[in-house]
Amino acid sequence: MKFTILRFDSVGSTNTEALKQAKLGAGEGLCVVARRQTAGRGRYGRVWISEPDAGLYFSVVLRPKIANRFLPLITLTAAIAVYDALAELYGLKPDIKWANDIHVNDKKICGILAEMTESDGGLAIALGIGVNLKLSNFPPELIETATSIEAETNRTPDADALLQTLTRRLAEYYSVLNDENGAEKIRREWARRSSYFADKSVKVKLENETITGTTRGLEENGALRVETDGGEIKIIQAGDVEMLRKV
Ligand code: BTN
C-alpha cells in the first residue's frame, strides 16, 4: 500500500475527513493527518481530546478485499502495527487490550476507531489512530488511566517519525491480512502481543449486563471468548473489557 498524506493544521475529525474523501473516490492509502482535532471521537461516541501537537491523529482510507466476516480483524491489524512501532522506536513494552487499545504499564496510550462507508468504488474504511504524544490538558480523571510517549520515555517524540514507522508497519500487516490464511496469521500475531488473549480475569460491560470471567482466545473474526464464572462461554463481538485486578 502506498500512502498519500493529506495534512491539516486543524480539522473536526480525521476520520470524518477520510470518510468524506472515500465517498469522493479516494483510493486506498489516503492518510489524513491533523495537528489538532476539534471534534475528535472515540468509540461509542466518546470524545477524543486532541489538543494541538499533543497526539498523533490520523486516519487511513482502506478498501479491503477480504471477506466481510473478517472486517473486524482490521482494527486488530492496526493494533499490532502500533504495538510494533512503539516497541521499535521507543523501546516500550506495550500490551493490546482487546479489541484494540494499546496500553503501556496498564494505561492507555493509543486508541483505534474504524468506520465504514459505501462509495462507487465499493466499501471503504476510515481507520483512525490516535496516539498520545504528551498529556497536555488532560483532565485529572483521565491522567489516572491514560499515558503518553513523553510520560513513559521522558523524551518528546517526533510525530513525523512515528507516523512514518506506523504507516510502514500498517502496510506490512495489512498485506499479511490480505494473504492466504491472513486472518489466522493476524490472530496469531495479535495473540503474541496481548495479555488479554487467554487466561486473563476480566470484567466485560455489555449493553444490558456486566459479566466477569476468564478469556479463552479469539473467534475466527477476532471476537473474544470469555468463560464466565459459571462456566459458560460467551462470545464478545463488542464491549468494554477491563482487567480484574486481583486483591
Ligand atoms: C477509542 O479508543 O475510543 C478510539 C479513539 C480513536 C481516536 C482517533 S484520533 C484520529 C481519528 N480521528 C478521530 O476522530 N478519532 C480517531
Side-chain angles (χ1 to χ4, degrees):
M1 180 169 38
K2 279 254 175 295
F3 293 96
T4 307
I5 311 266
L6 183 58
R7 282 187 191 275
F8 289 85
D9 262 342
S10 177
V11 77
S13 154
T14 56
N15 259 38
T16 307
E17 185 61 32
L19 288 169
K20 182 176 128 195
Q21 296 289 340
K23 272 218 168 293
L24 293 171
E28 183 157 88
L30 178 75
C31 176
V32 180
V33 192
R35 292 179 59 197
R36 80 189 261 254
Q37 301 182 111
T38 53
R41 42 172 204 274
R43 292 179 315 139
Y44 308 119
R46 293 177 191 139
V47 169
W48 188 259
I49 298 173
S50 308
E51 293 284 313
D53 302 318
L56 174 62
Y57 319 112
F58 73 102
S59 304
V60 177
V61 172
L62 299 176
R63 296 191 176 274
K65 300 283 176 291
I66 53 174
N68 279 353
R69 69 178 193 285
F70 289 135
L71 288 175
L73 292 172
I74 288 180
T75 48
L76 275 71
T77 303
I80 297 168
V82 174
Y83 178 112
D84 280 19
L86 294 180
E88 176 186 327
L89 280 176
Y90 310 110
L92 294 173
K93 294 200 176 11
D95 190 11
I96 308 176
K97 184 169 90 78
W98 189 88
N100 44 47
D101 286 355
I102 313 299
H103 279 207
V104 173
N105 292 322
D106 293 331
K107 290 181 165 192
K108 182 162 169 172
I109 200 164
C110 166
I112 297 167
L113 177 70
E115 296 175 304
M116 213 185 288
T117 185
E118 290 279 346
S119 69
D120 292 347
L123 177 143
I125 294 208
L127 175 67
I129 301 181
V131 186
N132 300 333
L133 300 175
K134 52 188 180 193
L135 294 175
S136 76
N137 279 344
F138 269 50
E141 67 273 15
L142 267 190
I143 302 265
E144 285 185 16
T145 56
T147 190
S148 67
I149 295 172
E150 188 182 73
E152 297 298 327
T153 64
N154 291 321
R155 281 184 288 154
T156 307
D158 176 341
D160 280 334
L162 177 57
L163 178 65
Q164 210 179 51
T165 303
L166 240 165
T167 46
R168 200 177 56 232
R169 290 292 188 174
L170 188 62
E172 180 187 332
Y173 290 114
Y174 185 62
S175 101
V176 171
L177 178 64
N178 285 302
D179 278 356
E180 206 179 320
N181 295 326
E184 188 192 329
K185 289 179 193 158
I186 289 299
R187 288 194 303 272
R188 208 181 313 132
E189 293 295 338
W190 190 92
R192 282 177 40 201
R193 290 167 179 78
S194 174
S195 71
Y196 284 75
F197 175 67
D199 302 327
K200 187 143 185 126
S201 295
V202 290
K203 180 166 92 177
V204 187
K205 281 190 208 141
L206 301 170
E207 230 176 296
N208 300 314
E209 54 172 345
T210 298
I211 61 165
T212 58
T214 309
T215 61
R216 295 287 185 234
L218 297 180
E219 290 285 287
E220 190 188 55
N221 70 349
L224 185 66
R225 277 187 220 125
V226 175
E227 183 176 347
T228 65
D229 297 339
E232 187 191 344
I233 297 282
K234 293 246 187 197
I235 310 295
I236 314 298
Q237 301 287 352
D240 267 338
V241 173
E242 266 171 45
M243 142 171 91
L244 271 183
R245 283 170 214 269
K246 299 233 162 58
V247 277

